[in-house]
Amino acid sequence: HRLIRRQRQMCIRDRYITKATDTDFCAIYEDMQQQFPYVEIKAKETFLTFLCATDYHIWLAKDDQDGKTQNVGYMLVWLDKVKNLLWLEYIAVFKEYHNRGVGSQMLRALKELYPKAKGCFLELEKAEPGVENIRRRVAFYTRKGAFPLNIRYFYPQRTGALELDLYFLPFKPGLHSLPLQEAMHSIRNAYHTLHRNVPHARDLLRRITPLAA
């Protein structure tokens, strides 16, 4: 699909991606509560603080058909400017637009929205035998070029933590690995920014370690 850069928005055929407004975010947050586990969603006030004080961006994908504009998907992204690396915190397609290629289009648009970024981190549930939706999700990202990092990783929840697999989706041609030190540095930056309000985040950060080769 041909991407055309516009001021604060990206066109993909009859769809475009733009910065979410305050009104948009209310609809997005309501949908997040339907599509993500409660313990994985930050408080609305936390997101609003991020938007004002950090390089945190909420992108909304819209579809123009027959003169009508519909919201079709969204991404919540934090940019680690120190390392030029993205953290894709949340990505979702509104249910009525599932299986229409919206997720793939949004991922491709990320490369154009952040042309200086080397790629983005993806926090994925561990694939388990018999859990088909997780297997499909992991397969979706690996088809796009994402690869797992050799790191034991924990995602802070409101209470406790979830052990996830940390993947990296490169944006630059020929980038097939990410130096361990660079990844660990960005993890610390993300924890200090995205999870600073989680009381046990510091303890969890100490548990994130490289896995034995």
Side-chain angles (χ1 to χ4, degrees):
H1 297 287
R2 185 167 173 258
L3 301 181
I4 305 174
R5 190 68 181 272
R6 288 186 179 179
Q7 185 178 7
R8 290 197 173 185
Q9 71 180 42
M10 180 85 51
C11 285
I12 314 169
R13 290 191 176 177
D14 293 325
R15 295 175 183 155
Y16 63 94
I17 295 178
T18 186
K19 287 281 185 71
T21 65
D22 290 346
T23 302
D24 291 331
F25 178 64
C26 290
I28 288 171
Y29 194 77
E30 182 176 342
D31 185 78
M32 289 173 66
Q33 293 173 308
Q34 302 298 319
Q35 298 211 50
F36 296 94
Y38 167 78
V39 292
E40 294 180 13
I41 304 175
K42 298 176 177 65
K44 183 184 289 187
E45 294 73 19
T46 300
F47 287 117
L48 296 176
T49 300
F50 285 167
L51 290 171
C52 293
T54 71
D55 292 299
Y56 199 91
H57 308 126
I58 300 177
W59 297 98
L60 182 63
K62 293 176 175 283
D63 187 283
D64 279 338
Q65 292 288 343
D66 301 322
K68 296 180 180 180
T69 300
Q70 300 289 337
N71 297 334
V72 297
Y74 53 88
M75 300 181 289
L76 284 75
V77 182
W78 178 65
L79 172 62
D80 179 0
K81 278 190 171 180
V82 176
K83 292 295 181 180
N84 267 335
L85 296 169
L86 294 178
W87 284 80
L88 183 56
E89 271 223 295
Y90 304 89
I91 179 172
V93 176
F94 289 101
K95 288 187 177 180
E96 56 269 35
Y97 288 92
H98 281 188
N99 302 315
R100 298 192 190 181
V102 178
S104 296
Q105 291 177 329
M106 288 195 294
L107 280 180
R108 286 196 293 271
L110 269 183
K111 299 179 183 182
E112 301 295 329
L113 292 166
Y114 300 93
K116 294 182 180 179
K118 301 172 188 174
C120 71
F121 290 99
L122 306 166
E123 300 157 310
L124 303 182
E125 294 172 279
K126 291 181 173 295
E128 298 179 9
V131 186
E132 185 62 19
N133 62 326
I134 296 177
R135 187 199 66 79
R136 286 200 305 265
R137 189 176 303 121
V138 173
F140 169 79
Y141 287 112
T142 54
R143 286 197 304 270
K144 304 302 179 187
F147 53 84
L149 298 175
N150 200 33
I151 295 172
R152 190 182 186 196
Y153 182 77
F154 296 91
Y155 179 84
Q157 297 180 317
R158 297 191 182 193
T159 57
L162 184 64
E163 186 171 356
L164 300 176
D165 286 332
L166 189 63
Y167 278 66
F168 185 73
L169 177 64
F171 290 172
K172 305 298 183 184
L175 183 60
H176 302 298
S177 64
L178 186 69
L180 178 62
Q181 185 176 1
E182 189 170 2
M184 293 297 292
H185 191 167
S186 192
I187 290 170
R188 288 192 292 271
N189 292 345
Y191 253 69
H192 294 154
T193 302
L194 302 176
H195 307 301
R196 61 190 180 198
N197 294 330
V198 178
H200 54 285
R202 183 174 298 180
D203 293 334
L204 287 175
L205 184 56
R206 285 195 288 265
R207 294 171 60 189
I208 297 177
T209 54
L211 294 170

